[in-house]
């Protein structure tokens, strides 16, 4: 936004410079016209002045036409500044010629007045056309609401005005699902209806703008005389305006919910761009606490944004300077403690020795799309590290990597996996991909399709963090999953006397078996957890009790021992 605004300002400056140059040019042509006519009245011929055999009328006509063209160019460059100057110049010229008709009694000059009038008319028409198209550019083509450009203009004006106002950042929660399921035309129809509902729900003095695909911003001016909870109440009304209502289109009922972020001027920020960014952050917070909610911006969120920016810079630098490395955590059969394989886990250590945990950097990498490059790097490094140990006759060990669910639905992902496995000479049957169920909710159909294609390659598929509950049974039964990993948070809760928690984990394990998958319990730390896991007939164990994530040389040793 900032860059765009700077560019706009620069090109506006250039246009204004050109307009001033054209104004000087116009004044000069006008002076020349007057001069030529004066000299001709004094009986001095044109050929003696310009060296050409040319009549006074032709010469003044040509100069007037050039002046007219200059006026039109000014108007096109900037209909406000250029158009106004052009109209002013033509008006002054017309009046002065008009006066001379009376003072000099030169009726011939009436022709000049007609020419100026025509010139004036064409500038007016051009100015009007430019104004209309500018107004159109301030509108969103789909919903007819004002657009982002318009928002910035209004927001800047409001911040300059100085009185308090509020901003709501509105975002639909499941719009991607509607687009994916019903198609883009249906999605557009939903957006139009949502825009109408929100426009109706807002108080008269407020305005709403469409600023992105399914993102809207509402500006609520003059909040100083309103009750303290005015904005949050309004956010509730905006949420209610769309929640639990059917939206149009022929291919079935569509429901949408919205998440809203709230900021106040000047309490949260005074800079227009910061206000928008903070409102966006507050909206994301609301979304993360479970969608269909509003959230008010607070100070701690700005610290979080600062940290996110810092982390993104660290990740970029880490890619560049190879601060990433992999560790491998062993998995064993629950009964005999036989080595099953390893899960690769990514680590980041900066050149200053600062460790950043994947729990912190992976979500940032996902947000900024850096995850695509990271996942590829991990697949390549892990397969390279393990290929010699895996490529032995009778090998039963597997190597798993974590892949962001956002990545597996990306076009070309399956081909990338295939290519790396071929290039690194790694057997697909020993390669496992772990995906979390939670991220797949948004585009389940696409995820299932990608999983099926991965299965065709021969890759093993594992569902990570299972039991944290997002997928419905109907989706799960359609997924070609080989392994389910019971989430560590569930294993953390089990133990003697934890009847309910133990039963829940039992049920999750049985469910995995029912779906035809093997089950790995993750995060097993002590004997009591282990015995409960064994009693529940869980197939494999991955946890500190039997092995922490380790560097490659230790993993190699473990493999060698297991093969003795
Ligand atoms: P995850 O895939 O669920 O990985 C398991 C996490 O639990 C790992 O944390 C592991 O060190 C930890 N863990 C395993 N057993 C125990 C235990 O007994 N006790 C305790 N306290 N922790 C245990 P880590 O390495 O910090 O990874 C966190 C998450 O970051 C992973 O969760 C995964 O979602 C993500 N991640 C890690 N490496 C990668 C990667 O290469 N690519 C992607 N896309 N995500 C990764
Ligand atoms: Ca994992
Ligand atoms: Ca997990």
């Amino acid at each position: 936004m900032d860059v765009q605004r700077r560019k706009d300002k620069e090109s506006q400056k250039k246009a204004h410079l050109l307009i001033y140059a054209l104004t000087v040019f116009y004044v000069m042509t006008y002076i020349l016209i007057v001069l030529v006519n004066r000299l001709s009245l004094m009986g001095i011929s044109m050929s003696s002045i310009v060296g050409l055999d040319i009549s006074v009328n032709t010469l003044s006509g040509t100069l007037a036409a050039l002046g007219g063209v200059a006026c039109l160019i000014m108007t096109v460059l900037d209909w406000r500044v250029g158009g106004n100057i052009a109209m002013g110049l033509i008006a002054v010229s017309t009046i002065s010629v008009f006066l001379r008709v009376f003072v000099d009694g030169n009726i011939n000059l009436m022709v000049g007045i007609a020419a100026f009038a025509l010139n004036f008319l064409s500038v007016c028409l051009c100015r009007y056309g430019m104004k209309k198209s500018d107004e159109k550019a301030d509108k969103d083509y789909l919903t007819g609401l004002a657009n982002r450009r318009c928002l910035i203009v209004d927001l800047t004006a409001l911040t300059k005005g100085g009185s308090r106002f509020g901003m709501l950042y509105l975002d639909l929660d499941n719009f991607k699902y509607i687009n994916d399921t019903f198609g883009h035309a249906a999605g557009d129809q939903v957006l139009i209806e949502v825009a109408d509902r929100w426009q109706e729900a807002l108080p008269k003095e407020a305005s709403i703008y469409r600023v992105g695909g399914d993102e809207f911003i509402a500006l609520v001016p003059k909040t100083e005389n309103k009750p303290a909870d005015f904005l949050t109440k309004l956010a509730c009304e905006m949420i209610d305006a769309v929640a639990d209502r059917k939206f149009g289109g022929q291919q079935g009922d569509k429901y949408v919910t919205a998440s809203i972020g709230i900021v106040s001027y000047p309490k949260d920020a005074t800079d227009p761009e910061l206000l928008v960014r903070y409102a966006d952050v507050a909206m994301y917070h609301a979304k993360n606490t479970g969608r269909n909610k509003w959230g008010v911006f607070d100070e701690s969120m700005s610290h979080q944004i600062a940290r996110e920016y810092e982390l993104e810079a660290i990740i970029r630098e880490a890619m560049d300077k190879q601060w990433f490395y992999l560790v491998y955590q062993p998995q064993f059969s629950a009964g005999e403690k036989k080595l099953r394989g390893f899960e690769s886990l990514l680590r980041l250590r900066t050149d200053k020795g600062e460790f950043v945990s994947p729990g912190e950097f992976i979500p940032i990498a996902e947000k900024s799309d850096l995850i695509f490059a990271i996942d590829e790097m991990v697949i390549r490094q892990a397969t390279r590290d393990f290929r010699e140990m895996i490529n032995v006759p009778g090998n039963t060990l597997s190597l798993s990597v974590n892949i962001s669910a956002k990545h597996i639905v990306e076009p070309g992902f399956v081909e990338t996996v295939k290519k790396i496995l071929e290039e690194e000479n790694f057997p697909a049957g020993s390669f496992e991909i772990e995906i979390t169920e939670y991220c797949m909710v948004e585009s389940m159909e696409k995820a299932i399709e990608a999983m099926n294609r991965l299965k065709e390659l021969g890759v093993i598929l594992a569902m990570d963090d299972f039991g944290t509950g997002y997928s419905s049974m109907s989706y799960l039964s359609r997924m070609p999953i080989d392994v389910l990993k019971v989430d560590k948070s569930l294993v953390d809760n089990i133990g003697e006397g934890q009847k309910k928690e133990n039963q829940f984990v039992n049920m999750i394990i049985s469910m995995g078996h029912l779906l035809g998958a093997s089950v790995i319990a993750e995060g097993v730390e002590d004997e009591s957890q282990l015995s409960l896991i064994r009693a529940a007939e869980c197939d494999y164990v991955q946890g500190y009790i039997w092995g922490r994530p380790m560097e490659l040389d230790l993993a190699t040793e473990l493999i060698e021992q297991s093969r003795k």
Side-chain angles (χ1 to χ4, degrees):
M1 209 156 58
D2 204 23
V3 177
Q4 187 56 41
R5 248 198 318 179
R6 212 176 317 127
K7 273 191 190 156
D8 284 353
K9 268 208 170 134
E10 271 168 21
S11 63
Q12 197 186 38
K13 226 175 166 181
K14 277 187 200 153
H16 286 178
L17 275 177
L18 209 58
I19 288 171
Y20 300 139
L22 286 166
T23 309
V24 174
F25 175 77
Y26 182 91
V27 173
M28 278 167 53
T29 56
Y30 186 75
I31 293 172
L32 276 176
I33 294 173
V34 174
L35 210 66
V36 161
N37 279 284
R38 286 271 145 205
L39 290 173
S40 123
L41 281 177
M42 286 157 70
I44 301 170
S45 74
M46 281 307 98
S47 57
S48 61
I49 304 167
V50 288
L52 289 171
D53 193 12
I54 187 171
S55 76
V56 178
N57 287 345
T58 315
L59 189 57
S60 351
T62 312
L63 288 168
L66 284 174
V69 172
C71 285
L72 278 176
I73 297 176
M74 282 186 225
T75 315
V76 171
L77 285 171
D78 182 336
W79 64 265
R80 279 192 194 93
V81 178
N84 291 351
I85 293 179
M87 278 159 60
L89 286 172
I90 301 168
V92 171
S93 322
T94 318
I95 292 167
S96 74
V97 175
F98 208 67
L99 284 176
R100 278 185 32 232
V101 172
F102 287 99
V103 176
D104 299 346
N106 187 350
I107 294 295
N108 287 342
L109 289 177
M110 287 303 281
V111 181
I113 292 178
F116 279 131
L118 268 177
N119 198 195
F120 191 78
L121 189 70
S122 54
V123 167
C124 281
L125 284 175
C126 177
R127 191 180 178 282
Y128 178 78
M130 297 288 294
K131 187 175 170 218
K132 280 282 152 213
S133 81
D134 238 20
E135 277 170 6
K136 249 191 202 158
D138 280 347
K139 270 202 180 140
D140 168 47
Y141 71 98
L142 183 70
T143 58
L145 295 183
N147 62 14
R148 186 168 205 114
R149 196 181 117 123
C150 201
L151 167 81
I152 298 301
V153 174
D154 293 355
L155 192 54
T156 310
L158 271 181
T159 50
K160 280 190 182 144
S163 54
R164 285 189 204 172
F165 66 89
M167 180 196 286
L168 306 186
Y169 200 115
L170 309 111
D171 183 283
L172 295 179
D173 295 322
N174 44 351
F175 184 66
K176 196 171 177 327
Y177 168 80
I178 290 183
N179 253 349
D180 286 353
T181 317
F182 299 100
H184 286 266
D188 284 354
Q189 185 56 34
V190 170
L191 284 177
I192 293 169
E193 287 178 35
V194 166
D196 284 348
R197 293 250 167 95
W198 277 344
Q199 217 166 4
E200 277 168 28
L202 275 176
K204 262 195 231 74
E205 66 276 17
S207 16
I208 183 160
Y209 308 77
R210 181 172 173 227
V211 294
D214 61 346
E215 290 167 21
F216 298 79
I217 283 182
L219 291 181
V220 191
K222 298 205 177 68
T223 46
E224 51 264 344
N225 306 322
K226 302 274 192 326
D229 61 351
F230 177 73
L231 288 175
T232 52
K233 273 197 173 145
L234 180 61
C236 281
E237 284 166 25
M238 301 293 270
I239 286 175
D240 289 345
V242 295
D244 298 330
R245 301 205 182 179
K246 276 184 217 165
F247 284 89
Q250 281 104 40
Q251 314 129 287
D253 299 337
K254 300 162 204 83
Y255 295 92
V256 289
T257 56
S259 298
I260 301 181
I262 305 171
V263 288
S264 303
Y265 171 92
K267 184 171 83 50
D268 297 319
T270 49
D271 177 72
E273 268 180 52
L274 264 189
L275 279 166
V276 174
R277 205 188 310 153
Y278 286 175
D280 185 20
V281 172
M283 183 276 290
Y284 264 102
H285 266 259
K287 220 182 253 295
N288 287 340
T289 55
R291 302 169 165 225
N292 202 23
K293 291 205 167 80
W294 51 262
V296 181
F297 180 80
D298 74 52
E299 192 71 8
S300 67
M301 295 180 192
S302 68
H303 294 146
Q304 192 191 326
I305 306 173
R307 177 66 181 157
E308 283 186 10
Y309 272 94
E310 187 190 16
L311 273 178
E312 196 181 320
I314 292 179
I315 298 171
R316 286 184 197 277
E317 208 172 348
M319 301 283 288
D320 219 36
K321 300 190 173 154
Q322 280 143 26
W323 293 344
F324 282 119
Y325 63 97
L326 286 172
V327 289
Y328 299 97
Q329 189 177 24
Q331 301 165 335
F332 300 91
S333 65
E336 311 147 13
K337 199 186 163 188
K338 190 172 172 288
L339 188 63
R340 171 187 186 260
F342 289 86
E343 174 183 6
S344 71
L345 293 159
L346 193 57
R347 295 289 175 263
L348 196 177
R349 186 180 45 217
T350 69
D351 55 351
K352 295 188 192 86
E354 183 198 354
F355 277 94
V356 186
S357 83
E360 204 180 4
F361 70 74
I362 293 288
I364 308 292
E366 280 181 343
K367 249 192 202 170
S368 56
D369 285 353
L370 287 165
I371 195 71
F372 300 149
I374 293 180
D375 282 347
E376 272 182 49
M377 173 191 76
V378 169
I379 301 177
R380 197 168 284 280
Q381 189 60 49
T383 49
R384 200 168 282 180
D385 281 351
F386 273 72
R387 66 180 163 203
E388 274 168 32
M389 292 179 277
I390 297 284
N391 275 320
V392 293
N395 171 65
T396 54
L397 296 179
S398 59
L399 166 71
S400 9
V401 296
N402 292 283
I403 297 295
S404 161
K406 186 176 175 185
H407 197 174
I408 91 150
V409 292
E410 203 47 26
F413 172 69
V414 183
E415 286 68 28
T416 306
V417 173
K418 185 167 183 260
K419 186 170 150 255
I420 300 179
L421 292 181
E422 276 168 10
E423 283 171 2
E424 299 301 329
N425 185 28
F426 197 97
S430 306
F431 186 69
E432 187 168 296
I433 289 183
E434 295 189 9
I435 321 152
T436 51
E437 54 169 338
Y438 133 81
C439 303
M440 279 191 295
V441 183
E442 291 247 319
S443 35
M444 202 63 91
E445 294 298 334
K446 272 195 198 158
I448 292 177
E449 191 200 315
M451 287 163 117
N452 281 322
R453 292 182 47 224
L454 285 167
K455 276 273 33 118
E456 281 166 23
L457 281 187
V459 165
I460 312 165
L461 289 180
M463 173 73 80
D464 210 350
D465 304 344
F466 188 64
T468 45
Y470 283 92
S471 308
S472 71
M473 259 332 254
S474 70
Y475 273 126
L476 272 177
S477 60
R478 285 177 51 209
M479 286 179 188
I481 290 289
D482 307 289
V483 179
L484 282 171
K485 299 189 77 176
V486 180
D487 193 53
K488 181 179 168 300
S489 62
L490 302 178
V491 177
D492 281 346
N493 291 334
I494 61 173
E496 277 163 43
Q498 306 295 110
K499 205 168 161 227
K500 240 180 161 174
E501 287 81 358
N502 298 351
Q503 275 177 348
F504 187 71
V505 170
N506 270 349
M507 186 200 74
I508 293 281
I509 293 170
S510 313
M511 202 156 101
H513 289 152
L514 215 65
L515 289 165
S518 323
V519 181
I520 301 181
E522 206 172 30
V524 180
E525 290 183 347
D526 58 44
E527 289 295 338
S528 79
Q529 289 170 340
L530 182 64
S531 58
L532 283 160
I533 287 294
R534 279 177 163 157
E537 292 180 13
C538 184
D539 306 281
Y540 302 101
V541 165
Q542 177 183 347
Y544 288 2
I545 187 168
W546 282 346
R548 291 187 175 235
M550 55 186 79
E551 307 242 347
L552 180 64
D553 49 354
L554 283 179
T556 313
E557 265 177 42
L558 201 61
I559 294 179
E560 280 163 4
Q561 273 171 20
S562 79
R563 283 178 175 161
K564 271 182 192 154

